[in-house]
Amino acid sequence: MQPGVIIVSNRLPVSVKRVDGKLEFTPSIGGLATGLASYADDRRNKWIGWPGIAADDLSEREREQIADKLRLQNCYPVFLTQKQLDEYYDGYSNSILWPLFHDNPMNPDAAANHDKLWQAYRRVNQAFAEVVLALSTTGTTIWVHDYQLLTLPALLRLERPDDQIGFFLHIPFPSAGNFTKLKSAEAVVAGILGADLVGLHTEGYVNNFLDTVQQLDIGITEHRKVILSNRVVRVTDFPMGIDYDKYEKARRSWEVTRAYWRLKQKYRGQKVILTVDRLDPAKGLVERAEAYRTLLSENQGLRGKVTMIMLVVPSRVSVPEYKALKQTLEDVVNSTNKTFGTPRWQPIEYMFTALPFHEVTALYRRADIAFIAPLRDGMNLVAKEYLASQPRQHGVLILSQTAGAAQELREAIMVDPAEPDSLVQGLYKALAMPRREFKRRVRHMQKHLSSATVQVWAGNFMKSLRKDPALSPVRTWNLNPRRQRELIQDFRRAHTRLLLLDYDGVLMTFHRDFRESEPSPRLHNLLLRLSKLEHTRTVVISGRPRQDLEEWFDNEPLTLVAEHGAYSREAGRQRWYTHKSNATPGWQATIVPILERYARKAPGAFVEVKEQSVVWHYRQVSPYYAQKYLVILKRVLKPYALSLGLQAQQGNMILEVRPTGIDKGSTARHWLRSKPDFVLAIGDDYTDEDTFKAMPNSAYTVKVGRGRTTARYRLPNVDAVLRLLDKLEQKLAHTR
């Protein structure tokens, strides 16, 4: 059973906006949302990101409403204020990082305010980290996306050193010479290297990243890897594809066909050149418009026979550079139309808008030539969408050699956007290309795109993240019937045996109220039979208070461990042994009021005070309040934990504060001193990992349920555990 995945991106695949005073939820149709659709639909997984609306514009009730609605789609929001969006997103991300990564000059005002914007960027990345940590437990697989979250992998690694963390950059990675000009370059690269696997679109970007690591002297670089002091980070190219079937089917749909015939009629007798881009300096919009104007200037015979459609999607229109770009582009368009246009023909049809999917697909299908020549682009999916939308291998693709897609689509007409003549010559060649030639080229590229889809991209990345032996030093096998037979045979043959069994989630299923989890008659009977087996020690290791264990198991000669190892009692004895802790005496007087204060704020939460620990329960709390106050509590508790010798750890719908130096593993080692021939340890959460790590290589360690683990075997649920234990008892009892 595969464990759940946490996907983290700046934006969620669902956007929230206010329309006529009401909140409206709109699904995204972007490549990332499409590629990760199968992960987003899986109830085991979570997608974390900003919902698209500033927190300042929302009441507390609306935030709760958004969280509840998004949770139905496995999405969880990170709420950001307008000030955070201005400084983290518009400021550092899009005015410093975006132009730097695309080899463009930084915004001068942003560069002058680098330190302020950098601190805002770090704080927002920390806010994302807090939400990820609040919504997951140790052993989670986390996939972080893109340039807005470059420091997040390292923040997660700090708290979760054993988690699987992947990072993918959707834009280019610049040359080392350019990147190291960034004042915060070293911290940014160190942030990325918190991941186990770094993915980029092309081999060139991989080499740029490795060169940067080497120049900054952060680690030792080898082929596709960075060797750090305590681990190895793999750096690999994963070219992102598109949902090929979606475009292939769409071109035959009724909506697209109807829109296509309207365009066919409108541009009858015309060769149509198409550009589709967001408004962005890196897209080379002005350069393409000027190349087309040069084409018309040099070829009077093309006038009236060729039309260029420029579909420009609005983006960051409040940023001064983007405003200026829009004005410059419109000046070139207007000048071209005024110079060469006639009452019956307009050389450039300029559309500054976002069109519905079926209309864009119809444009792809109608266009004779796609003119895709960005100055710099991470991949450029428009080129791939155009090819996928072509029936009968129609169309010619002009593609910039500086786009990531150029590494795959080698049959396109390649141009250099830094050379104006190259763009003009590309247009000449496309217009003159014989039909047989462009059909051959398109057929070849379509064949590649149909197999290198966005779904394959996502699957390859996740498979690579999970398969590395360095990430999974112990392979976990399902404890199937064959392996159970081997386990039972080893149990029967052994002279001395040790069973280490967790309680909640292993011997007893979880209840909404933990106080209702008394052992069933079936469990009582099973444990009684196990405890009577000769040369077999059965130990129940629980996070429960010792009073609960005494009350439940006083009639069974079991060895009991309470509060994760704080107390233990040998079978047949009445006295409990107290294990030493590193905590400051009287620490609960400080911690309990803090937890109780936030329990009052989160309806359904309550605090359980044990002798050696305190637990904040939130199983009955709404997702919004659980997420909100878990983040706050962890932040508030951190300095107290450091000063008082405590640890705050998250379990199954709980946050537990307990002394450092006490865990199930250190207690389990006590019974290993007798060197039993057979050891079986079964657990289900992060506290049981300490037990698994303490076990000898010969032990059978079993994880119950999902999640990454160091256990060798896995069982799906409590019922499967009880059936296994019942088989053990019966097999040994019947051989005596």
Side-chain angles (χ1 to χ4, degrees), residues 15-39:
S15 291
V16 183
K17 59 182 179 180
R18 196 183 298 279
V19 179
D20 298 329
K22 295 182 180 180
L23 296 177
E24 186 176 276
F25 296 77
T26 307
S28 169
I29 58 172
L32 184 61
T34 300
L36 300 180
S38 61
Y39 292 92

Side-chain angles (χ1 to χ4, degrees), residues 327 605 700 716:
Q327 186 61 56
Y700 284 90

Side-chain angles (χ1 to χ4, degrees), residues 4-67:
V5 177
I6 299 281
I7 297 165
V8 196
S9 60
N10 175 62
R11 290 293 297 268
L12 287 169
V14 180
S15 291
V16 183
K17 59 182 179 180
R18 196 183 298 279
V19 179
D20 298 329
K22 295 182 180 180
L23 296 177
E24 186 176 276
F25 296 77
T26 307
S28 169
I29 58 172
L32 184 61
T34 300
L36 300 180
S38 61
Y39 292 92
D41 293 340
D42 191 328
R43 298 299 300 175
R44 295 174 297 176
N45 303 332
K46 297 182 176 73
W47 193 321
I48 294 171
W50 178 54
I53 188 168
D56 320 59
D57 297 334
L58 300 167
S59 66
E60 183 80 0
R61 179 69 190 90
E62 286 175 325
R63 293 187 201 183
E64 185 177 4
Q65 178 187 345
I66 289 170

Side-chain angles (χ1 to χ4, degrees), residues 563-604:
E563 296 195 34
H564 303 300
Y567 302 98
S568 61
R569 191 184 80 173
E570 296 278 355
R573 298 184 182 179
Q574 294 301 311
R575 182 176 174 275
W576 286 84
Y577 176 77
T578 304
H579 297 265
K580 291 183 180 180
S581 79
N582 300 325
T584 302
W587 63 268
Q588 288 180 319
T590 302
I591 299 300
V592 170
I594 296 173
L595 297 181
E596 287 180 337
R597 181 165 73 249
Y598 288 102
R600 289 191 293 271
K601 292 174 179 286

